[in-house]
Amino acid sequence: MRSRTRVVGGLVAVVVAIAAVVGAVMLSGGDGTDAPGAIVAVQDDHLPVDPIETIPGRLDMIADTGVTTTRVDLHWAEIAPSRPDDPRDPADPAYDWGRADLIMLGLAERGITPIVSAYNTPPWASGGLVEPGIVANTLAPDPEDYADFMSALATRYSGNTTSPGGDPLPEVRRFEIWNEPNLGGFLKPQVEDGVRVSLDNYAAMATAAYAPIKAANPDAIVIAGVGGPRSSTSPTGVGAVEWARGLVERDIPLDAYSQHVYPSAAPNEPTEVVPSWSSLGRFLDEIDAFRPGLPLYITEAGYTTADTAFRASSVTEEEQAQYLEEIYDLPQLKSGRIKAVVWFNLQDNVNWPAGLLREDLSRKPSYERFLEAVEGQEGAVLTD
């Protein structure tokens, strides 16, 4: 009996040792090197809006960078243009998953993990109202309508369903609750009758959506906050710190927090502005109020190379390339607390010229630096 116990104990020790090695490899670049820290990722903002036939080519462009992670916007209003009768059932005929399926299947085929940001209110979920002349309706939705949609979304990509053609649909685990809801450009109203309402509206959405997402897939990671890169508060938006504190006060449920970082200062330049690269430590302290060690995803980051109506400061293309290299070399990104830094975006557009590619698809100097940053991670992937 003792002899058998020693053998079993020895086998257990071997299994534990193997598990430890496998875990270390998963966190590293795959060859026993140190963990790379924040995963280098990119977003292509053409995916939710360009003609659907262009999607395979756009996915190839993402794959050409070598990334293992990308962020994807899904527009609720396009997927559910009319109110579903059974809104938590992704098979309800009101849903049109054609674009989303093509994207998710295409990313799975290319070995790329998506972080999905779902927003853009259908008029039926915002009291029949819609903002004229914009791509995405930013009017705050009914929280339960949003929760129903997020349930259907998480169910469809739980790894347990198939497309109409019979293809098994991939599992998607990372869901962001909206996009930059602290800014009036993405969630309205911010203030109503002189009262700040955006925090309450967003907290209601996040709280309503959390349990249905987890019910659809217990392994899902619900990412909330999604703060836009604002340091101060005004009638048109809430500063990043005040936004995080407000969501802590409202005790929203979440598995991770996300923040967008677009400072005018260079990555290695000390500044008191939050959010910025030098103030990341202070921001992590803020979200520790949810719970110590809460993971942070930086789901948009970059530097624009021309002034636009949305951003007055810009850098040269050479500075953009240098700053990109500096970002992904920052010591504060190596701890494992920050899960990913998503460069936004893949290609310039007139409103946001922060791309790795110019509008004509020619490469900026930052493109090669980005490839080097990805290469340096030796195929590392997102882990929990």
Side-chain angles (χ1 to χ4, degrees):
M1 181 70 83
R2 286 182 188 170
S3 175
R4 184 172 181 271
T5 301
R6 284 197 298 270
V7 170
V8 171
L11 287 173
V12 170
V14 170
V15 169
V16 170
I18 291 172
V21 171
V22 170
V25 170
M26 285 179 65
L27 288 171
S28 73
D31 62 355
T33 57
D34 290 338
I39 295 296
V40 180
V42 72
Q43 179 171 353
D44 179 15
D45 65 350
H46 284 252
L47 287 177
V49 294
D50 278 11
I52 196 167
E53 60 269 17
T54 67
I55 286 175
R58 300 300 305 189
L59 295 178
D60 285 342
M61 289 168 61
I62 295 172
D64 285 345
T65 67
V67 295
T68 60
T69 299
T70 192
R71 181 175 185 246
V72 177
D73 289 343
L74 291 183
H75 286 181
W76 177 18
E78 181 184 82
I79 295 171
S82 60
R83 182 184 289 277
D85 291 329
D86 189 357
R88 296 201 176 189
D89 180 4
D92 187 286
Y95 284 122
D96 178 0
W97 300 102
R99 179 185 295 270
D101 284 355
L102 189 59
I103 293 170
M104 298 309 156
L105 284 166
L107 290 174
E109 288 168 3
R110 292 163 176 81
I112 300 173
T113 298
I115 300 168
V116 171
S117 173
Y119 63 100
N120 188 353
T121 310
W124 55 262
S126 57
L129 301 175
V130 66
E131 294 178 280
I134 63 168
V135 172
N137 181 21
T138 64
L139 295 176
D142 179 280
E144 291 305 320
D145 285 337
Y146 185 67
D148 289 342
F149 170 67
M150 294 305 293
S151 174
L153 179 63
T155 299
R156 187 162 187 86
Y157 302 113
S158 63
N160 299 314
T161 58
T162 58
S163 71
D167 295 316
L169 291 169
E171 181 185 31
V172 174
R173 295 184 56 207
R174 291 166 178 83
F175 297 96
E176 273 191 308
I177 305 299
W178 216 253
N179 178 67
E180 298 189 346
N182 64 317
L183 305 182
F186 283 97
L187 186 69
K188 289 187 179 72
Q190 289 285 313
V191 175
E192 198 167 50
D193 298 328
V195 177
R196 172 73 56 192
V197 296
S198 54
L199 272 162
D200 286 332
N201 288 342
Y202 181 74
M205 292 162 55
T207 300
Y210 184 87
I213 293 172
K214 301 293 272 192
N217 183 356
D219 293 327
I221 297 169
V222 181
I223 307 171
V226 205
R230 188 176 185 132
S231 58
S232 60
T233 297
S234 76
T236 60
V238 181
V241 170
E242 187 176 335
W243 184 254
R245 289 176 179 174
L247 296 179
V248 169
E249 289 170 4
R250 288 157 178 81
D251 196 24
I252 66 166
L254 75 171
D255 302 315
Y257 196 91
S258 61
Q259 176 63 45
H260 297 171
V261 181
Y262 291 106
S264 3
N268 290 318
E269 180 182 332
T271 173
E272 293 300 308
V273 173
V274 181
S276 67
W277 298 109
S278 63
S279 63
L280 277 180
R282 289 171 52 201
F283 193 75
L284 288 171
D285 290 343
E286 292 290 342
I287 66 170
D288 274 340
F290 287 105
R291 66 175 177 273
L294 183 75
L296 175 66
Y297 288 75
I298 298 176
T299 50
E300 284 189 26
Y303 287 88
T304 51
T305 54
D307 291 350
T308 76
F310 299 94
R311 187 172 177 84
S313 63
S314 60
V315 299
T316 67
E317 290 190 355
E318 290 70 24
E319 287 172 328
Q320 183 196 49
Q322 180 62 35
Y323 292 172
L324 184 152
E325 182 178 342
E326 291 176 6
I327 288 170
Y328 289 113
D329 278 341
L330 288 169
Q332 52 266 50
L333 300 187
K334 306 297 184 183
S335 69
R337 175 84 185 270
I338 299 172
K339 297 301 182 181
V341 176
V342 182
W343 187 269
F344 186 86
N345 44 357
L346 178 64
Q347 181 185 356
D348 280 353
N349 64 58
V350 65
N351 293 321
W352 203 255
L356 304 172
L357 303 170
R358 303 181 186 93
E359 284 193 77
D360 63 4
L361 294 178
S362 59
R363 296 180 177 186
K364 293 184 184 177
S366 57
Y367 187 92
E368 297 303 328
R369 301 288 183 93
F370 186 81
L371 295 186
E372 291 168 6
V374 172
E375 226 175 274
Q377 294 199 323
E378 300 180 326
V381 298
L382 272 177
T383 57
D384 295 343

